[in-house]
Amino acid sequence: MRIKAAVLRQSGASVPYAQSRPLEIAEIDLRPPGHGEVTVRIKAAGLCHSDLSVINGDRARPLPMVLGHEAAGVVEALGEGVRDLAVGDHVVMVFVPSCGCCLPCAGGRPALCEPGAAANGAGTLLRGDRRLYLGAHAVNHHLGVSAFAECATVSRESCVKIDPSLPFEHAALFGCAVLTGMGAVVNTARVPPGSSVAVVGLGGVGLCSVMGAQVSGARQIVAVDLSEDKLRTARELGATHCVNASDPDAADHVRELTGGGAEYVFELAGSIPALELAYRATARGGMTVTGGLPPPDRYLSLQAVGLVAEERTLKGSYIGTCVPKRDIPNFVSLFQSGRLPVDKLLTHRLALDDINAGFDRPRDGSAIRQVVLF
């Protein structure tokens, strides 16, 4: 079928993107689903820093590519062998399709699926195919999804069925922001009730970590960011204290507020200065969890002896160490019961034609989460 999609042909365009327009809105061909694949009519797709990092060149991906990985939609067609979904089902997209057979998958860690990671790096679906074409030339898939389009053909493993009563604009956020931010707290760190927590970086993912800390029963939640607007939002979502990261003594302020450092500190900004701040703000014997994705050429320098003498833990968290088939329905239930107000993250609703201007907003901090509605 012919679909309208946002195609990135070259990264590193100048800003503002509203003028340089790195994403070309084009008519392209979407091929039908093959064995083990599904075609989904996209209803809502979120703008995420992982998309921006491809646009600005921080993260190399094979081009041309249709971006977008945080999305929700309706199943429109089933490929051979797909028996546990039906046409008309509502689904959330997952940006690491897990094979279920490799060692990480077999060990209960589908976020680390080896074939899934290889396919994402190559710009293909899980089984190595591409279903997007511009004329005779294949177009690459972004993280197995490519949701900035009217429809997407994806691997069955990239879909999780959801309650059809959930609004699509909210459902989309569960595929990345909620999985990553909530999962970092409840899966990666397993924050116990009564803990002290700090969250550095209050985008959609970081604010989900704030909510996750509250759901987990943390006694103290310190929110850290450069934006006063986002700090106010963090208070509305459960933060007990706020610290502006522009203060050179921000880490010391966190330590003072928590009586020597927070027991669990989460860095979700994707920058080395933010991670350094998070590490300094962590208590002796505490855990620093990083779920941000800085450019691959950035390195962190630590005093190695402190890891031993203070029994520190520095831990990465990818997709919140989630098992999507388990966690997405659980997190949706928390939202529906009023305990996880994901809807408060949504600041902008866009048409596909306005997507380039949407990617200018993360630079000025005026957006938390934006969605393209179809």
Side-chain angles (χ1 to χ4, degrees), residues 3-364:
I3 62 169
K4 188 163 73 169
V7 181
L8 181 70
R9 296 178 184 268
Q10 184 175 350
S11 61
S14 60
V15 293
Y17 296 134
Q19 295 179 14
S20 62
R21 301 186 66 80
L23 294 172
E24 175 191 350
I25 309 305
E27 293 280 337
I28 67 173
D29 293 314
L30 177 68
R31 296 190 175 179
H35 184 86
E37 296 173 358
V38 178
T39 296
V40 177
R41 183 159 293 278
I42 303 298
K43 294 294 186 178
L47 277 63
C48 177
H49 192 271
S50 294
D51 303 299
L52 179 59
S53 66
V54 181
I55 296 170
N56 66 21
D58 282 348
R59 194 160 299 276
R61 295 289 182 188
L63 302 177
M65 174 175 279
V66 174
L67 294 184
H69 65 282
E70 179 185 78
V74 180
V75 174
E76 187 155 292
L78 304 174
E80 183 183 354
V82 179
R83 299 182 178 87
D84 57 345
L85 285 176
V87 172
D89 282 346
H90 291 204
V91 293
V92 165
M93 320 300 273
V94 177
F95 63 91
V96 174
S98 52
C99 71
C101 299
C102 67
L103 285 176
C105 285
R109 304 182 74 182
L112 300 182
C113 176
E114 292 167 346
N120 283 357
T124 70
L125 301 184
L126 181 60
R127 293 164 184 83
D129 296 305
R130 293 177 178 85
R131 303 299 182 200
L132 297 166
Y133 280 81
L134 271 168
H137 302 287
V139 176
N140 293 288
H141 296 263
H142 186 219
L143 302 178
V145 179
S146 290
F148 293 153
E150 294 171 320
C151 288
T153 294
V154 302
S155 301
R156 165 62 187 91
E157 295 83 355
S158 294
C159 299
V160 173
K161 185 177 175 179
I162 58 167
D163 182 344
S165 70
L166 186 65
F168 288 112
E169 62 184 32
H170 302 149
L173 307 185
F174 285 84
C176 179
V178 179
L179 273 185
T180 304
M182 276 286 294
V185 176
V186 303
N187 293 327
T188 309
R190 298 183 179 181
V191 171
S195 302
S196 59
V197 169
V199 179
V200 181
L202 301 176
V205 176
L207 288 170
C208 283
S209 288
V210 170
M211 290 188 279
Q214 185 182 53
V215 168
S216 297
R219 63 177 169 80
Q220 196 173 23
I221 306 169
V222 183
V224 184
D225 198 90
L226 294 166
S227 165
E228 287 295 332
D229 288 340
K230 290 180 179 178
L231 291 169
R232 280 190 289 271
T233 301
R235 279 199 179 275
E236 294 173 7
L237 296 176
T240 58
H241 301 83
C242 293
V243 173
N244 195 301
S246 65
D247 188 328
D249 298 320
D252 291 334
H253 292 324
V254 176
R255 296 183 68 85
E256 290 166 8
L257 288 167
T258 54
E263 295 164 282
Y264 297 90
V265 183
F266 299 87
E267 180 276 313
L268 289 315
S271 79
I272 298 304
L275 181 53
E276 290 172 339
L277 191 161
Y279 189 78
R280 294 198 310 272
T282 305
R284 290 166 57 90
M287 179 184 293
T288 310
V289 177
T290 174
L293 287 170
D297 61 350
R298 305 293 198 272
Y299 291 87
L300 176 68
S301 178
L302 296 175
Q303 183 191 44
V305 69
L307 285 169
V308 178
E310 298 183 359
E311 290 198 350
R312 295 286 205 98
T313 300
L314 175 59
K315 191 169 180 61
S317 177
Y318 191 49
I319 325 180
T321 319
C322 281
V323 180
K325 289 183 180 179
R326 174 197 69 195
D327 292 330
I328 288 178
N330 288 344
F331 296 160
V332 167
S333 293
L334 288 170
F335 170 67
Q336 292 174 323
S337 68
R339 298 180 63 198
L340 190 67
V342 172
D343 54 311
K344 292 185 178 179
L345 303 179
L346 187 54
T347 55
H348 296 79
R349 297 164 178 83
L350 314 173
L352 184 62
D353 290 339
D354 300 323
I355 194 169
N356 285 296
F359 277 109
D360 283 323
R361 292 192 179 100
R363 292 186 300 112
D364 61 17

